[in-house]
Amino acid sequence: MVQERQRRGKGVCWMLRLWSVAVISILLLSACFVASCVLTYQFTTDNPNRRLFELHTYHSSISCFSEGTMVSEKMWGCCPNHWKPFGSSCYLISTKENFWSISEQNCVEMGAHLVVINTEAEQTFITQQLNESLSYFLGLSDPQGNGKWQWTDNTPLSQTVRFWHPNEPNSPAERCASIVFWNPAKWAWNDVLCDTKRRSICEMKKIYL
């Protein structure tokens, strides 16, 4: 009888331990799930603030402007002061001339890159900001001189979105692209030597709040 009671007692203790482990495991899994949700939410909501912080590391002041509504809340697009907003990007026209590589580095140091033109509307907007007597580097180059033009993000030049002047590009030695106004034509692209000094156009993505 005593041995039977001892066996029953051990069985009950074993069951209690098993249930305790199961309950603790469920609680730990629940806590991990909640923590994961909280971190995901914070990452999502803090992302604009993080980008604003990063932007302030390059620029002392920014300007934000209303861009309509989304889910009944105002959307604000932000660009550094003196940058021109268009679409989802901000643009800065340089006032100094430099080589292509240095121009790209100057853009990178401001959290941007040499401009990548994706549409005719974007090209039209940009040319409205330019001086017809000057030439400006684009973020477009042919590193190997084999006609494989690519943008600064390494994407190849689209077959449909390209705005070269007639008969351009025309020299394998001219491996960087600029945008220039030629009479009686218009603003369009020209291949030029990368180590010639020109002005340039920087582009960065807007920050949305």
Side-chain angles (χ1 to χ4, degrees):
M1 180 67 76
V2 173
Q3 290 180 347
E4 185 178 348
R5 287 179 179 176
Q6 288 178 343
R7 285 197 299 271
R8 288 181 179 176
K10 289 180 180 179
V12 171
C13 290
W14 184 82
M15 289 296 293
L16 288 174
R17 289 177 182 175
L18 183 62
W19 277 106
S20 297
V21 171
V23 170
I24 291 172
S25 299
I26 291 172
L27 290 174
L28 286 174
L29 288 173
S30 299
C32 290
F33 176 75
V34 171
S36 175
C37 290
V38 170
L39 288 174
T40 301
Y41 173 78
Q42 287 182 340
F43 177 81
T44 303
T45 56
D46 289 346
N47 190 47
N49 292 331
R50 180 168 56 83
R51 289 203 61 207
L52 278 175
F53 175 79
E54 291 173 353
L55 193 59
H56 274 297
T57 64
Y58 303 109
H59 308 278
S60 58
S61 56
I62 61 173
S63 298
C64 298
F65 29 86
S66 175
E67 297 204 346
T69 61
M70 178 175 287
V71 194
S72 74
E73 295 182 3
K74 283 189 175 181
M75 287 287 293
W76 297 84
C78 301
C79 290
N81 281 356
H82 310 303
W83 290 59
K84 304 288 186 179
F86 178 79
S88 60
S89 295
C90 313
Y91 302 85
L92 179 69
I93 313 301
S94 71
T95 57
K96 295 181 180 179
E97 296 183 345
N98 237 315
F99 304 135
W100 188 93
S101 59
I102 297 177
S103 298
E104 168 66 4
Q105 183 58 39
N106 289 339
C107 291
V108 169
E109 290 175 357
M110 293 186 288
H113 53 78
L114 282 173
V115 65
V116 175
I117 296 178
N118 297 299
T119 65
E120 185 174 359
E122 184 179 20
Q123 162 120 336
T124 299
F125 167 78
I126 289 169
T127 56
Q128 291 171 348
Q129 321 300 321
L130 306 181
N131 185 325
E132 292 183 2
S133 64
L134 299 172
S135 173
Y136 302 81
F137 277 128
L138 304 175
L140 182 64
S141 65
D142 177 14
Q144 305 304 320
N146 56 6
K148 295 182 179 179
W149 290 85
Q150 63 185 36
W151 295 104
T152 51
D153 58 4
N154 295 322
T155 57
L157 177 62
S158 167
Q159 293 297 320
T160 57
V161 183
R162 48 176 63 201
F163 305 104
W164 295 105
H165 276 294
N167 303 318
E168 301 292 344
N170 63 359
S171 173
E174 297 176 333
R175 302 183 181 185
C176 289
S178 71
I179 187 167
V180 61
F181 187 92
W182 286 349
N183 279 319
K186 56 182 179 178
W187 284 103
W189 306 347
N190 177 38
D191 58 336
V192 295
L193 296 173
C194 299
D195 57 358
T196 53
K197 287 189 174 183
R198 303 171 190 275
R199 296 198 181 187
S200 57
I201 308 160
C202 294
E203 177 183 5
M204 70 165 63
K205 291 296 181 184
K206 285 180 185 174
I207 293 177
Y208 289 97
L209 303 177

